Structures are given as structure tokens and as C-alpha cells.
Amino acid sequence: MLNELSVVAVAALGLLSVAAGVAVFVVDSMARATFALLVSFLAVAGMLLALELTYLGVVTALMMTIEMLIMVVFMIMFMMNPAGLMPMTMVHNGRASAAAGITVFAVLTVGIWTIDWPSRTGSLPADSTRQLGGAIMGSHMLVMLVIGIGLFATIISGTVLATHRGRYDRFGADLRNARPKDPTGGGLK
Amino acid sequence: MPDPGVSGAEPLSLAAAWGLVPAVLAVVAAALVLGTVFAIVDNVAINGARVRSAAEPFRTSLRWLIQQRRTTLSPDRLLWRAGIVAVPVLAVLSLAVVPIGGRTLLTTSADLVWFNAMEALLWAAVWLVGWGPNAVHALVGGYRFLAQGLAYELPLMFALITAGLGADSLRTTGIVAAQENLWFVVTMPVAFVVFLASAAAFTFWGPFAAPAGADIASGVISELSGVDRLVVQAGRAVFLGAAAAMAVALFLGGGAGPWLGEPVWYLLKTFAVMAAVAAVGRRVPLLRPDRFVEFAWMVLVPATLLQTLMVGLLVIWGFYP
């Protein structure tokens, strides 16, 4: 069972998470907004750690950090305001997004407090990572495989659609160039 | 496959055995020792094995310590400081799951993921160090680090998970225990080399130092001075030391060895790894991140995947105890 310390930690981290989430829309710099969002995610990761879901906690921290930093790379590629160097507002379409936010918050809160959650049967496993792996890879193996292949196909087709250079650009019209013509030579064919 | 008994039971952590405060102090002390030793080994390697240059890290640290801090025009001070402080903190946190002397500060059921997460958070820290000063060279360095990160991250993850796969455990103590008969480096040489190369890459050291390259006036660290510079450079050295110690746990059997005690063997092996990394790394020319990405994705990702597949097959055949 959770002890008092972890309850306090979960509450404090929850508040931090919400506060950092609010900060995303208050600050006037793209970099600060990005890292406020990262702090919010890391607080959620900390909550998972406090709930003794170690694997989920550290994997959340890992995924969210890399995700936010890759977003930073795209930020300078696609933003009108490269790298967010100048102060800018972080809010667009304020009224509709506030309404959407309040509605979702209300629905989720009502749901959380009114659903009759099942209580734990059995005891806490020694290794929740193994249990999670068993749950995912055991009875749901087929679903996970299909989802995995689907996601992978999406990534590849997205990349293929997005790139404007294909093999004819790299190896010539008859695909006979010995070395590919790349903007940046990586030293490989 | 039956549980080999290395992953189920929770081993006693350093914090549980000694109390939290002494355990944390011990890990911080270990971090300082590892970082200092790496800085010394590195300096000796740079200066052609001249032992006199061993004093150089201390001299430089002292100079940085008393140097006045300079600043830039309208820096993002909050994010800059956050990034600077995060580098050494993450280095020490990554050491929390390294089993020096047979025990780790924290023992989680996902030590390997913890180590990887600390390295991933370093992406944020280094980018912030580059972003903070509002200076172009530092920012270019920060983005170079991210480009390099996209190159080394997946091979590093596959290298880490290969060791976990061989031991059937994500605990570092479990991985050390699984190497009782045979060190993992024998069956996982690719993962071992990729892990050490990635360690050099995430601390942007040696051939991977392009984010702090001379062509952009030491890039991401160019605007750091005084204590800030000391803190970041110390963090990098500690991270490399921690990675060497982690390599010993994952691939070189941890503290296993005859006659001498476990911590002694552990440190000896760690120092040997450091010396090898410094001797090789300082002889390889600088790699450009934009070109290294292609090599990493076309060569390293398939190589580490094949390595993982090979270890997976060995696990199915019951090769590992």
C-alpha cells in the first residue's frame, strides 16, 4: 500500500505538473514554453515513480525528454519565428481553446470521481516491469504487433511523402550513379 | 523460460543498507573520484602520456573557481542556469544505478532505463546550455548536439537492452550476477563498443566533440566562464566516468575477480576502461554530426539490432545461466 510520503509526493508533483502546464501559456518564449511543458511531463513521470511504477516513470521521462527536444529541432525548421528568439504569445484562438480545455477538464474530473474503480485483488508484484511486459506481450501480442507494424508503416510513408528527393535524384535518371548526389555526404552509398 | 532468480527478488540498495544521506554522499564521492580520474587520464592522453599533465585538471578547476563569471547581452538566465546545474546533477543521478561494490544507491526494477533516461535528459540540459547565453556559437553547438543525439541514441538503446536481454533483468546488479561464468563482452562485443562510443557522444567528447568544436569557438560551452564552466566540464567528466563504470557492470563482469575485493576490482576495471577510451578516443579525428548520422543509421543501427538478435537466440538456446 502507498505510504503517506508517496501520497504527499504525488499531490505535490501533481500541483507542479498543473502549474508548469499553466506556465506553458503564460510565458512569452518558445523555449520557455517547451521546457515548461517538459517540466510538466517530468512531474507526471515523478508521480509514476512515487506510485512505484518505476519502469513507466523512467520511460515517461526518457520518451518525453527526447520528444520535446526533437520538437525543438522542428521548431526552428517550421516556425515563422525561427528558434522562437523573439518574444511571442503562446496562445492562439484563446476563447475556443479555453472552452475546449474547461470541457475536457470537467469531463475527466467528473469521470475520475464518479466511476466505480475496481479495488486491487492480490498483492503488489515484486517486479511491475515484468508484469507490464507480460500484460502487453502475453494476451495482447497480436494487437501490439499490428499496432507496431501500423505505426512503422505510417512513419515510413510519412517520410516518403514528406521528402522531395527520391532515388532518381540521388542516383540519376537511370539509377547508374556510382555515388549518390546528396546535399550532405555521409560517406555511404 | 524459468526465472533465473536474478530479476525477481529485490536486492538491498545502498540507501536501505546505510541510510539515505550516507549513501547519497558515497555516490557523490564516487562521482567526484570517477570524474577526477577521467579528467586526469584524458589530460595525460592528450599530452602524449606525459604524467606531469596529471595536475592540469586541478589547476584548471582552481582557475575556473576563482575566475569572475562573465555574461552576455540579455541571456535567458533561468534556462541557462537550469541547463548548467542539470549537467552534473544528471551525471551523479546516472551513477545512482551503477553497482560499485555490488550495490546501487537506488535499486529499481528498471535500472537500465533509468541510466538511459538520465542521458536523454542531458539532451535538454545541453540544449539549454547552448540556448541560454543568447549567443550564436553556443546555439549552433546546442543544435549540433541534438543532431548527434539523433545519431547515437538508438544504437545506445539497443546496446543497453542487449545486456538486459542477456541477463533477463533490467537491474544492474542482476546483470552483474548473470556474468558469473562469462563476461558479456565476449558475446556482445558490438554492444560494448557502441556503448562506449555513445558515452563519448553524449558527453560530446573526443571524436564526438563537434558541439563544442573549435570551428564554432567551442560552441555550446563557449559562453561559460568561472564556476559555470567548472560545473559543466566536471559534469561531462563525471558522466564519462559513470559510463565507464556502467560499461564494467554491463559487459566486464562488474567487480568479479580473484584475490582482491569486489570494489577494488570494480575500480581497477573502470580505470582500465577509462584509459582505453581516452587512448583510442583522442586518436580519432573529429566526426561531423551531419555525416555521422548516416553512418549511425546505416551501419550502427543494423549492427546493434543484429547483435540483439544474436543474444536473443543465445537466450532461447539457454546459453546464459
Side-chain angles (χ1 to χ4, degrees):
Chain A
M1 211 48 223
L2 291 175
N3 56 31
E4 278 168 30
L5 191 67
S6 46
V7 172
V8 172
V10 167
L13 287 166
L15 286 175
L16 174 67
S17 168
V18 173
V22 171
V24 171
F25 301 98
V26 175
V27 295
D28 63 350
S29 134
M30 203 71 200
R32 286 195 176 195
T34 305
F35 283 90
L37 190 54
L38 180 58
V39 167
S40 183
F41 287 150
L42 290 180
V44 174
M47 286 165 75
L48 290 171
L49 282 179
L51 292 170
E52 296 180 14
L53 298 167
T54 314
Y55 178 78
L56 286 181
V58 284
V59 116
T60 305
L62 184 138
M63 303 282 284
M64 289 306 160
T65 311
I66 293 183
E67 176 190 302
M68 295 312 289
L69 270 296
I70 288 178
M71 201 189 86
V72 165
V73 174
F74 282 93
M75 195 164 85
I76 55 157
M77 288 205 296
F78 295 133
M79 292 292 296
M80 290 175 291
N81 174 7
L85 286 170
M86 285 169 289
M88 61 188 280
T89 171
M90 291 296 131
V91 191
H92 310 287
N93 193 10
R95 214 171 289 166
S97 44
I102 289 168
T103 313
V104 171
F105 182 79
V107 168
L108 288 178
T109 314
V110 169
I112 287 168
W113 289 108
T114 52
I115 287 175
D116 187 19
W117 296 102
S119 54
R120 184 197 295 281
T121 53
S123 58
L124 194 69
D127 192 344
S128 55
T129 310
R130 177 173 293 270
Q131 203 194 30
L132 181 71
I136 294 174
M137 304 304 277
S139 54
H140 299 102
M141 188 70 171
L142 185 65
V143 182
M144 296 306 286
L145 274 178
V146 172
I147 291 175
I149 293 170
L151 279 175
F152 191 55
T154 313
I155 291 169
I156 289 181
S157 35
T159 312
V160 168
L161 290 175
T163 184
H164 67 286
R165 284 167 50 77
R167 55 190 171 144
Y168 296 109
D169 302 295
R170 299 185 73 220
F171 292 102
D174 48 3
L175 300 176
R176 286 224 181 120
N177 290 359
R179 295 194 70 81
K181 221 173 83 185
D182 287 336
T184 309
L188 297 171
K189 275 184 88 167
Chain B
M1 198 178 138
D3 194 306
V6 290
S7 53
E10 187 150 334
L12 199 60
S13 72
L14 211 54
W18 295 0
L20 188 62
V21 176
V24 170
L25 288 178
V27 169
V28 171
L32 286 175
V33 170
L34 289 177
T36 312
V37 172
F38 186 82
I40 290 172
V41 170
D42 191 24
N43 262 288
V44 172
I46 295 172
N47 292 310
R50 251 200 348 199
V51 181
R52 248 195 314 172
S53 55
E56 190 53 38
F58 299 101
R59 214 175 301 150
T60 323
S61 303
L62 196 63
R63 200 178 66 232
W64 285 334
L65 205 57
I66 55 177
Q67 187 186 49
Q68 195 177 6
R69 194 197 265 151
R70 65 186 158 75
T71 189
T72 51
L73 183 67
S74 62
D76 193 338
R77 205 159 270 130
L78 173 69
L79 293 188
W80 199 11
R81 295 266 184 279
I84 289 167
V85 172
V87 175
V89 168
L90 292 172
V92 174
L93 281 177
S94 76
L95 204 62
V97 292
V98 177
I100 300 177
R103 277 184 188 163
T104 53
L105 169 63
L106 285 170
T107 179
T108 70
S109 53
D111 287 348
L112 286 183
V113 193
W114 173 280
F115 186 86
N116 204 346
M118 293 310 125
E119 168 273 317
L121 281 164
L122 192 65
W123 285 35
V126 173
W127 189 82
L128 285 177
V129 171
W131 163 269
N134 188 25
V136 73
H137 284 141
L139 189 60
V140 170
Y143 276 112
R144 274 193 189 179
F145 183 79
L146 292 188
Q148 191 155 286
L150 292 175
Y152 76 74
E153 187 63 45
L154 281 178
L156 170 63
M157 284 179 169
F158 291 135
L160 280 172
I161 208 62
T162 305
L165 181 64
D168 191 24
S169 169
L170 294 176
R171 278 183 211 281
T172 44
T173 43
I175 293 171
V176 171
Q179 297 176 70
E180 229 169 316
N181 301 329
L182 187 67
W183 292 0
F184 277 173
V185 69
V186 179
T187 47
M188 311 172 187
V190 178
F192 177 64
V193 172
V194 166
F195 178 79
L196 288 179
S198 305
F202 69 66
T203 51
F204 48 105
W205 171 90
F208 298 98
D215 56 332
I216 46 170
S218 35
V220 74
I221 56 169
S222 60
E223 298 298 341
L224 297 174
S225 53
V227 179
D228 292 350
R229 199 178 188 91
L230 175 65
V231 164
V232 169
Q233 298 291 59
R236 287 170 69 193
V238 171
F239 236 126
L240 268 163
M246 192 65 169
V248 171
L250 298 187
F251 301 106
L252 300 177
W259 307 306
L260 303 172
E262 201 173 309
V264 180
W265 266 117
Y266 198 102
L267 286 179
L268 281 179
K269 287 182 195 174
T270 306
F271 296 156
V273 170
M274 285 180 186
V277 166
V280 176
R282 287 298 182 187
R283 280 179 171 77
V284 180
L286 193 76
L287 298 168
R288 276 176 47 177
D290 54 344
R291 303 190 67 159
F292 177 63
V293 166
E294 189 164 333
F295 176 75
W297 280 80
M298 302 291 284
V299 178
L300 291 184
V301 169
T304 43
L305 274 176
L306 284 175
Q307 170 79 91
T308 312
L309 175 68
M310 197 198 86
V311 171
L313 291 175
L314 287 177
V315 167
I316 290 173
W317 289 332
F319 178 80
Y320 299 107

